[in-house]
Amino acid sequence: MNMPPANANALSTTIAPAKTGQKDPAREPGEKPWTQSHDLMLAKLKVDPVTGLSSSEVLARRAKYGMNRLEEKKEKSAWSILVYQFKSALVALLMVAAIASFAFHEYLEGTAIIIVVVINAIIGFITESRATRSMEALYSMTKVSTNVLREKQVQNILAEELVPSDIIVLDAGDVVSADCRVIEASKLKVDESTFTGESMPVEKRMEPVAADTVLAERYCMLYNGTAVTRGNARGLVVATGKNTELGKIAKSVEQADEEITPLEERLTKLGQKLVWLLMGIVVVVVISGILRGQDLLLMIETAIALAVAAVPEGLPIVATIALARGMLRMAKRNVLVSRLSAVETLGSTSVICTDKTGTLTENRMTVTYVETPHEGINITGSGLSLEGTFNNANGTIDPSAQRALDEVIQVSTLCNNAALRATEKGVSFVGDPMEAALLIMGRKAGVVRDELVASMPEVKEEAFDSILKMMATYHSINPKIDEDGAINKIGKSGNVLEEEEEEYLVAVKGAPESVLKACATLAGKNGTQKMGEQERAGLMKRNNELATDGLRILAIASKQASSLSEKPYENLNFLGFVGMLDPPRPEAKDAIHAFREAGIRVIMLTGDQIPTARNVGLSVGLIENEDESVLHGREIRPPDELDRTGREKLLTTNIFARVDPAQKLNLIELHQRNGAIVAMTGDGVNDAPALKKADIGVAMGQRGTQVAVEASDMVLQDDNFSSIVMAVEYGRTIFANIRSFVYYLLSCNISELMVILIATLLGTILPLLPLQILFLNLVTDIFPAFALGVNRGSMDTMRRPPRGSDEAIITKRHWLGIAGYGLTITFSVLFAFILALGPLEMGDQRAVTIAFLTLAFAQLWHVFNMRDPGTKFFKNRVTTNKYVWVALGICVFLLMAATYAPGLSLALNTVDPGLNGWALILGASLVPWVVGQVYCSFAKPE
């Protein structure tokens, strides 16, 4: 069988709607195949379990129901990505200004604004297109094949060719490719963790269940996207494609509303404020001018100048480039981000909800400890490594303890259905992860199951019983293999025994409480001894102590039997406990420490039991002592059903155990209502709703299901939890840079606005022409803003608490700073303008040129006022940014060209200001810089 990786998502999901809108036959309204016997389902779907479907029946069903493909999230078209670039209040404001310019025949200004909008759209389009295509490539599925019974033969076909009423044939390691009703099963266990979040495989059987049975307990059903870990089965296909449970979840996630990111919300609010500010000022100026009897055309020209001055044309471009640069930097660190604005949202994250398995731990069960009645033995080596050592507290194991350990290893290896397979990278396994861990333990001790079974053949198995919570296998002792391959049993005398005199080893493993109840003796230091209630209670107490240490405990026992009919779970001899651990990922503890320093809470949500969750929490630093609260998932109720005490209890707890998908949604909503920006990590189908609900959904790229990836905003290609630390730091730095250049641009724009407003109210000629303002906004302002947009992060970026969810890009403190800097620049420009126009008698055109250049250079020097308050004068984020100096050089060159280049100076209506004019420009333009440096030196850090 051609199989995908173990965590593959079942089948190809290229969009291919059914040729008709009909449902699968067992999915008609009211039909619940888990309530029907398998014989009745076969009869209802008119299929013979011996022959399967014929070719003509397959074609008829495919024509009726379509291909077995999910109706996946539609690919974003290039057109939709392009249109998205124009959905911004600031872009809309620019378009209004452009339309107004064209309406009053100011074609040059209107064209320039349109060019700005187009450049911004192109940058955003290219960047988001690359990110979108990378995400789509990440969850594009490989072709998956499956075995199906057709025309009395088992055929290997592509999974997408399955049709309702097909009978699929499954073995351990196979992925289920459609929803099926079990019609045959032998020792069948299935990994349904992508649906239920339960880490352990589920036993399946043929008996029907009640109509209201939840999905996790429909033991007679197999679901698309799950994997067979043990045994074999045949399943009757009852639903394909979008009608499967996986298809329904995929469709619901696709139809869910997209959450607007905090940055999008903040930029929208900023754009709205600018619109009202612009409208208010324009109305005041135009009405006051008309009341004073000024010319209407002059007022229209002034209104256009005010509109151009009020709108920060460079802001969308600079914001887009800053975010795009962050996306590219993250991509180099194996982090894919689907939307530009999601980059910044990471920086405001205050709560991270994460699963345990595979994120904080390695998702590889490892036997780390064996305890026999003799002593405890530690085992080194983790995961699928076959290298390891066995040591006790003293460093050596005495012969009697070694014999006890050998018995535990032997029984653990025999009572086992997993298989290890050699690969180019080492070892892989098929079957139950816990059983594979037992085989790995055996291999570390030099015990190979195939060799052991060859000497002690398995002749009977009592499959794991979910009620008894035990499994047993019967093995012949000292078998003799005849020439024809038959097994004869040799007694102690060396004579061949009759069947009723044969000897068997019964190997048993299971839950400690169940195995201990079935034991009559234990392998003590002085040989086999009777197990009384006192000994049994002592062993149970020890089991609880080991479980508290975070170990998953299995009890191992055995006995000798003289008949296969002898009951397996009576009069057993207890051999010892085997402790398994899913080791914490090496980087998890450092990542959680970094988040704590950054004021970000990490909350672990796991389906495991409370002791295991507590132990993992202690090992990775989520909690500091064993007394800290760990809550059961059942305590997470919808926020509206909680009282004040209940809310506080949930909001202050860092670890939750036995959590289901609905409870994850409740907890995320509770924290969001409490004002938190919530990130959620996940990899399974059951995580998709929570990934969608969170402000930032983070999926795992290597083991994540397609539905989880599609629901997320960010994908960790290396599944490395510490990558989120880097992403948060980038997000915070990007927000700081956005705030810095917005602060810079708005203070520049306010100064332009105030210069025109005050000059208009004073009744002078306009100190600045509309095209001159546009030149400043699109050329000389934008380069320093670009430089500010790529500032490196400050040293204490990850030692500051996260911003509040309602904190604006520009706070009250920043608005006061914008007003202060704007007025300072305004008065410097008006001082130079009035001096040139009056006492120095330089003429109208030269005075306007001096005002233009004074404003331009004042804005250039103003970039140094963007250093963080309290930082050093010569060494800070601005002065050490090489791009700032490059930007200043470019701008000075462009201003010289605007003054002396014939064509450009003519368009801008500028002239040579002369030596005295340059002295006036330089002196006046330095005043705002001096004021700003004094403020930055004495102001308190934010």
Side-chain angles (χ1 to χ4, degrees):
M1 215 178 215
N2 299 322
M3 294 307 303
N7 65 346
N9 302 308
L11 52 89
S12 175
T13 54
T14 307
I15 302 173
K19 296 180 182 179
T20 74
Q22 299 188 46
K23 291 181 175 291
D24 293 337
R27 280 291 189 267
E28 297 295 345
E31 292 288 353
K32 297 179 178 180
W34 56 90
T35 65
Q36 311 288 331
S37 69
H38 65 282
D39 291 330
L40 182 60
M41 288 301 304
L42 287 166
K44 180 180 291 188
L45 298 185
K46 300 177 182 179
V47 56
D48 187 333
V50 177
T51 62
L53 297 178
S54 66
S55 298
S56 59
E57 289 173 321
V58 169
L59 292 175
R61 282 167 168 77
R62 185 171 299 139
K64 185 176 182 180
Y65 302 113
M67 299 293 284
N68 180 32
R69 296 170 179 166
L70 297 185
E71 188 167 353
E72 72 167 12
K73 181 179 180 180
K74 296 181 180 179
E75 293 184 1
K76 287 185 178 179
S77 66
W79 175 250
S80 65
I81 296 173
L82 181 61
V83 170
Y84 181 78
Q85 308 309 314
F86 296 93
K87 294 181 178 180
S88 161
L90 285 173
V91 171
L93 192 58
L94 288 175
M95 293 301 297
V96 170
I99 292 170
S101 298
F102 285 125
F104 294 105
H105 309 292
E106 299 290 346
Y107 300 112
L108 195 56
E109 287 89 341
T111 301
I113 295 174
I114 292 295
I115 291 172
V116 171
V117 173
V118 171
I119 292 173
N120 174 71
I122 290 173
I123 295 171
F125 173 77
I126 293 174
T127 307
E128 291 205 21
S129 293
R130 290 178 60 181
T132 299
R133 299 303 170 237
S134 296
M135 296 285 283
E136 289 169 355
L138 187 66
Y139 52 66
S140 61
M141 300 298 297
T142 56
K143 295 290 185 182
V144 179
S145 63
T146 190
N147 287 331
V148 61
L149 177 66
R150 288 178 180 172
E151 298 181 330
K152 297 184 179 181
Q153 293 185 345
V154 176
Q155 306 172 19
N156 187 260
I157 65 170
L158 289 176
E160 64 181 19
E161 296 176 359
L162 286 172
V163 297
S165 303
D166 257 329
I167 295 175
I168 61 173
V169 182
L170 297 165
D171 290 301
D174 290 352
V175 173
V176 181
S177 301
D179 286 1
C180 303
R181 173 66 168 84
V182 178
I183 59 173
E184 291 183 21
S186 175
K187 308 174 186 175
L188 182 63
K189 281 192 174 183
V190 177
D191 179 1
E192 294 185 337
S193 59
T194 55
F195 278 97
T196 65
E198 174 58 51
S199 58
M200 298 305 299
V202 179
E203 183 182 3
K204 295 290 183 176
R205 47 184 180 265
M206 292 185 292
E207 291 76 19
V209 294
D212 59 351
T213 304
V214 297
L215 185 144
E217 297 176 3
R218 296 173 192 167
Y219 301 119
C220 60
M221 293 293 295
L222 302 173
Y223 290 104
N224 183 9
T226 60
V228 178
T229 62
R230 174 184 169 190
N232 54 68
R234 292 195 176 194
L236 175 65
V237 176
V238 295
T240 56
K242 62 184 179 181
N243 292 320
T244 63
E245 294 296 331
L246 179 62
K248 293 174 183 177
I249 294 175
K251 187 173 182 180
S252 66
V253 171
E254 179 185 353
Q255 292 174 344
D257 293 334
E258 198 74 44
E259 294 285 335
I260 184 170
T261 66
L263 178 62
E264 291 171 326
E265 187 174 355
R266 291 181 180 114
L267 287 175
T268 298
K269 289 180 179 178
L270 179 60
Q272 292 170 348
K273 289 180 180 179
L274 290 176
V275 168
W276 289 109
L277 178 65
L278 169 62
M279 290 178 61
I281 292 176
V282 168
V283 169
V284 170
V285 171
V286 172
I287 291 177
S288 64
I290 292 174
L291 292 176
R292 291 202 315 271
Q294 293 191 359
D295 183 64
L296 180 61
L297 290 177
L298 176 62
M299 289 297 97
I300 291 174
E301 182 182 4
T302 302
I304 293 174
L306 287 169
V308 173
V311 179
E313 289 86 355
L315 178 56
I317 296 178
V318 180
T320 299
I321 289 179
L323 293 170
R325 184 172 182 267
M327 285 182 70
L328 295 176
R329 290 179 68 189
M330 289 184 186
K332 292 178 181 178
R333 299 284 296 273
N334 293 316
V335 178
L336 287 181
V337 182
S338 60
R339 283 191 301 163
L340 286 177
S341 53
V343 176
E344 179 276 332
T345 307
L346 288 166
S348 58
T349 299
S350 54
V351 172
I352 296 177
C353 295
T354 178
D355 59 352
K356 173 184 70 68
T357 306
T359 304
L360 299 180
T361 64
E362 293 184 355
N363 193 24
R364 291 179 177 176
M365 295 301 295
T366 305
V367 177
T368 60
Y369 186 76
V370 172
E371 183 162 302
T372 69
H374 293 70
E375 62 184 356
I377 299 167
N378 295 307
I379 306 174
T380 63
S382 64
L384 296 176
S385 171
L386 301 181
E387 303 294 326
T389 59
F390 296 76
N391 292 293
N392 60 11
N394 300 322
T396 58
I397 304 175
D398 63 52
S400 62
Q402 184 65 55
R403 285 193 295 272
L405 173 64
D406 291 343
E407 283 191 87
V408 170
I409 292 174
Q410 181 188 64
V411 171
S412 299
T413 303
L414 289 172
C415 187
N416 202 306
N417 282 311
L420 300 180
R421 295 176 178 175
T423 66
E424 294 180 358
K425 296 182 179 180
V427 175
S428 66
F429 71 89
V430 174
D432 188 286
M434 292 181 66
E435 292 191 328
L438 295 175
L439 293 184
I440 293 288
M441 174 184 67
R443 292 290 292 272
K444 289 176 181 178
V447 177
V448 180
R449 187 175 192 278
D450 290 344
E451 297 174 1
L452 187 60
V453 171
S455 63
M456 302 179 68
E458 180 180 326
V459 293
K460 180 182 177 182
E461 176 181 322
E462 289 286 335
F464 178 81
D465 189 303
S466 58
I467 298 175
L468 297 176
K469 297 183 179 179
M470 288 183 287
M471 170 188 173
T473 53
Y474 290 69
H475 300 266
S476 296
I477 298 175
N478 299 322
K480 177 181 177 182
I481 310 299
D482 290 341
E483 293 181 358
D484 61 359
I487 299 175
N488 285 328
K489 289 29 174 218
I490 308 299
K492 293 178 181 178
S493 64
N495 297 320
V496 177
L497 302 175
E498 298 299 329
E499 182 174 349
E500 62 272 11
E501 299 174 331
E502 293 173 357
E503 297 174 0
Y504 305 96
L505 172 70
V506 182
V508 177
K509 72 174 188 295
E513 59 272 22
S514 300
V515 173
L516 288 173
K517 286 180 181 179
C519 288
T521 59
L522 61 88
K525 292 183 179 181
N526 301 317
T528 303
Q529 64 186 65
K530 184 178 179 180
M531 181 187 290
E533 288 304 318
Q534 184 177 351
E535 289 81 7
R536 188 173 287 109
L539 288 169
M540 276 304 301
K541 180 181 178 182
R542 183 57 183 151
N543 164 67
N544 294 335
E545 291 172 352
L546 293 174
T548 302
D549 291 336
L551 295 174
R552 188 184 291 271
I553 306 299
L554 283 178
I556 307 298
S558 68
K559 71 174 181 178
Q560 288 195 9
S562 59
S563 170
L564 292 178
S565 61
E566 188 170 327
K567 294 181 179 180
Y569 305 130
E570 292 181 354
N571 300 316
L572 293 174
N573 182 43
F574 175 74
L575 300 177
F577 292 125
V578 174
M580 282 175 272
L581 186 69
D582 184 4
R585 296 187 68 139
E587 70 277 2
K589 189 169 186 177
D590 290 339
I592 289 172
H593 177 71
F595 284 131
R596 184 172 285 121
E597 280 203 329
I600 299 172
R601 284 186 59 202
V602 178
I603 298 173
M604 184 173 77
L605 309 174
T606 177
D608 245 324
Q609 58 185 342
I610 287 179
T612 303
R614 177 179 279 111
N615 182 264
V616 172
L618 283 167
S619 63
V620 299
L622 269 178
I623 55 178
E624 296 181 357
N625 58 72
E626 296 183 0
D627 296 329
E628 292 192 43
S629 174
V630 177
L631 295 183
H632 195 285
R634 61 174 169 262
E635 298 193 45
I636 308 175
R637 300 195 303 277
D640 292 334
E641 296 179 11
L642 295 168
D643 57 19
R644 183 176 179 181
T645 303
R647 286 194 297 272
E648 288 298 320
K649 187 177 181 181
L650 294 180
L651 289 171
T652 55
T653 298
N654 290 336
I655 300 178
F656 296 86
R658 297 300 192 197
V659 180
D660 64 30
Q663 291 161 350
K664 292 180 183 179
L665 286 175
N666 291 336
L667 190 64
I668 289 173
E669 183 178 355
L670 178 63
H671 279 282
Q672 287 175 330
R673 288 191 184 186
N674 197 48
I677 299 295
V678 182
M680 171 73 196
T681 69
D683 56 8
V685 173
N686 63 317
D687 292 321
L691 290 170
K692 197 78 172 179
K693 175 67 177 174
D695 298 287
I696 287 289
V698 182
M700 302 299 155
Q702 292 182 359
R703 70 177 192 278
T705 59
Q706 179 191 352
V707 176
V709 170
E710 288 183 350
S712 66
D713 303 289
M714 185 173 89
V715 177
L716 305 182
Q717 291 181 289
D718 56 0
D719 287 9
N720 194 328
F721 187 64
S722 63
S723 296
I724 306 177
V725 179
M726 175 273 299
V728 169
E729 184 174 4
Y730 280 3
R732 289 189 173 189
T733 299
I734 287 168
F735 181 82
N737 291 344
I738 289 175
R739 171 172 280 173
S740 183
F741 66 64
V742 170
Y743 190 28
Y744 171 76
L745 287 175
L746 289 184
S747 54
C748 290
N749 279 79
I750 286 294
S751 65
E752 296 164 4
L753 193 67
M754 296 301 292
V755 165
I756 295 174
L757 178 60
I758 293 174
T760 302
L761 295 176
L762 293 175
T764 68
I765 64 171
L766 287 178
L768 299 169
L769 302 179
L771 198 56
Q772 290 176 344
I773 298 172
L774 202 57
F775 181 85
L776 292 176
N777 287 356
L778 300 183
V779 181
T780 58
D781 285 357
I782 205 169
F783 286 106
F786 280 151
L788 292 174
V790 296
N791 262 338
R792 61 179 176 80
S794 62
M795 297 296 291
D796 63 345
T797 296
M798 291 298 285
R799 290 195 291 271
R800 298 177 181 176
R803 302 183 308 279
S805 59
D806 58 347
E807 183 177 329
I809 295 177
I810 300 299
T811 64
K812 182 178 180 180
R813 175 176 177 172
H814 294 106
W815 281 115
L816 291 174
I818 289 169
Y821 282 130
L823 287 172
T824 305
I825 296 173
T826 297
F827 289 132
S828 298
V829 172
L830 288 176
F831 171 76
F833 174 66
I834 293 171
L835 200 61
L837 194 62
L840 297 181
E841 297 182 350
M842 293 184 175
D844 290 356
Q845 191 175 16
R846 185 167 276 107
V848 170
T849 300
I850 288 173
F852 165 66
L853 292 173
T854 300
L855 179 59
F857 280 98
Q859 292 177 348
L860 291 185
W861 313 143
H862 180 48
V863 74
F864 293 107
N865 295 334
M866 296 300 103
R867 68 183 172 101
D868 297 327
T871 55
K872 295 180 180 179
F873 177 80
F874 288 107
K875 191 174 183 180
N876 53 67
R877 286 205 309 151
V878 179
T879 57
T880 57
N881 184 346
K882 64 181 180 181
Y883 298 106
V884 167
W885 298 100
V886 172
L888 292 179
I890 293 172
C891 290
V892 169
F893 172 78
L894 291 172
L895 288 172
M896 293 299 102
T899 305
Y900 296 108
L904 188 56
S905 63
L906 181 62
L908 295 174
N909 198 24
T910 57
V911 295
D912 181 6
L915 188 60
N916 290 336
W918 276 115
L920 181 59
I921 292 167
L922 184 61
S925 65
L926 285 172
V927 172
W929 172 76
V930 172
V931 172
Q933 292 305 302
V934 171
Y935 169 76
C936 289
S937 298
F938 294 98
K940 293 181 180 180
E942 294 183 15

